[in-house]
Amino acid sequence: MSILKNILIFFKDILSPKKCFSCKKEGIYLCEKCFNNLDNFGEYCYICKKKSPNFKIHKKCLIENKLLNWKNFNDKKIYLDNVIVLTHYKNKIIKKLIISFKFYWKKDIWVELWEKLWKLVKNKINISIFNREGLDIVVIPVPLHWLKKIKRWFNQSEILAENIANILNINYNKNIIIRKKYTRQQSKLSRQERLNNLNNSFKIDIKQVDNIDNKIIFLVDDVVSSWTTLNEIAKILKQNWAKKVIWVCVASN
């Protein structure tokens, strides 16, 4: 580390010291004790919100909610296999942390959150099983439209996905999914409007098809207000022969 960088960090710590957003403990933005006291997600099915090992979506829930045809399991409306979410976005501390990262570029906040997320993934998804079965894993960030990326200067999902891939020593590829349509904010729309909003919003880069075939896909995003965006991406991944699609997310409603 350069002398200049050390000096910059020194003055940054003086002017804006790192403190837990909850208990004000110095040296960390969210201490372990405060994080554990939050209303975090347990292992549950994303549809019924009831317990489910490894966050697997219950087949019964898919059928009862008409998201899967019981006579033809290939005729389905939801394409995600597991939904792994670290915490609730309704937690005021989490919301404040994420806003501070996005709009004030406090990168250390994101480091703390993705460290918690990759530990959760490592504990709940046995990667060695996929390796024994000869299945490769690819980590993919949810893409931003290029106009949104210009406005924000970065895609936080790319930062999150790349770091998770590096820590878990698995493949990372940000070029598989292309966002070809500028969409309105999903959280402000009705369910039908969300589906219409996302229609033909994503496509697979034809050069990347071989990187999907028979692969386990970890689809990574920061905050998700509904499953419709992730499910639309999962759909085109499955149509291109992805074996499984596992959604990994920091926070959701």
Side-chain angles (χ1 to χ4, degrees):
M1 186 181 289
S2 67
I3 295 173
L4 178 60
K5 192 169 184 180
N6 278 323
I7 293 170
L8 290 172
I9 291 172
F10 174 76
F11 280 107
K12 179 185 172 185
D13 289 342
I14 291 175
L15 296 172
S16 181
K18 189 189 297 185
K19 292 182 180 179
C20 176
F21 274 37
S22 181
C23 70
K24 309 305 179 187
K25 178 182 177 180
E26 292 190 359
I28 193 167
Y29 284 115
L30 183 61
C31 72
E32 202 65 27
K33 182 179 178 182
C34 290
F35 175 74
N36 291 333
N37 286 334
L38 293 175
D39 180 19
N40 295 314
F41 279 84
E43 289 183 67
Y44 83 132
C45 165
Y46 195 72
I47 304 297
C48 69
K49 306 297 190 288
K50 293 181 180 178
K51 287 184 179 180
S52 179
N54 300 324
F55 295 85
K56 190 172 179 63
I57 296 173
H58 295 137
K59 188 168 284 187
K60 180 182 177 183
C61 293
L62 295 175
I63 294 170
E64 288 179 351
N65 287 276
K66 298 181 180 179
L67 299 171
L68 178 69
N69 187 330
W70 69 273
K71 290 182 179 179
N72 179 7
F73 286 163
N74 292 318
D75 179 18
K76 56 185 176 181
K77 297 178 183 178
I78 191 165
Y79 297 83
L80 296 158
D81 295 283
N82 302 66
V83 177
I84 301 176
V85 184
L86 181 66
T87 187
H88 288 280
Y89 191 60
K90 68 181 181 182
N91 291 328
K92 291 181 180 179
I93 299 297
I94 293 295
K95 187 179 289 189
K96 189 176 177 182
L97 282 164
I98 291 173
I99 289 172
S100 294
F101 167 73
K102 280 187 176 181
F103 299 105
Y104 299 100
W105 191 229
K106 292 187 176 182
K107 191 176 179 181
D108 289 353
I109 291 174
W110 215 229
V111 171
E112 291 182 20
L113 290 174
W114 68 250
E115 281 180 347
K116 289 178 171 58
L117 184 59
W118 76 254
K119 287 176 183 176
L120 178 65
V121 173
K122 188 176 181 181
N123 288 336
K124 302 306 176 186
I125 300 294
N126 193 338
I127 292 172
S128 63
I129 290 178
F130 298 140
N131 292 334
R132 286 199 298 270
E133 293 176 353
L135 297 171
D136 291 330
I137 303 172
V138 183
V139 180
I140 299 175
V142 173
L144 279 177
H145 189 272
W146 64 270
L147 280 174
K148 286 186 178 179
K149 194 168 183 179
I150 288 173
K151 287 179 182 178
R152 196 176 292 168
W153 291 97
F154 64 94
N155 180 356
Q156 64 278 4
S157 297
E158 287 182 7
I159 298 169
L160 186 66
E162 187 171 12
N163 280 290
I164 288 173
N166 287 340
I167 288 289
L168 297 178
N169 194 29
I170 50 183
N171 296 323
Y172 167 73
N173 192 327
K174 68 177 182 179
N175 300 314
I176 289 175
I177 306 291
I178 298 170
R179 192 164 201 149
K180 60 179 182 175
K181 180 179 169 184
Y182 190 95
T183 54
R184 294 152 64 198
Q185 190 173 335
Q186 287 289 95
S187 60
K188 296 180 179 179
L189 305 176
S190 68
R191 184 178 182 278
Q192 190 56 49
E193 285 174 332
R194 287 173 182 173
L195 294 172
N196 293 337
N197 188 42
L198 291 171
N199 190 34
N200 296 319
S201 294
F202 303 95
K203 69 176 182 178
I204 302 290
D205 184 339
I206 193 68
K207 298 175 183 176
Q208 299 285 339
V209 171
D210 288 344
N211 294 323
I212 302 168
D213 190 10
N214 205 38
K215 303 291 194 300
I216 306 296
I217 305 296
F218 281 9
L219 188 57
V220 179
D221 207 355
D222 61 338
V223 180
V224 181
S225 57
S226 74
W227 53 266
T228 46
T229 301
L230 282 300
N231 193 56
E232 185 68 18
I233 298 174
K235 179 180 178 180
I236 63 171
L237 288 167
K238 289 285 184 74
Q239 286 171 343
N240 285 274
W241 309 107
K243 183 76 173 177
K244 283 181 178 290
V245 180
I246 299 170
W247 165 18
V248 180
C249 177
V250 170
S252 182
N253 295 334

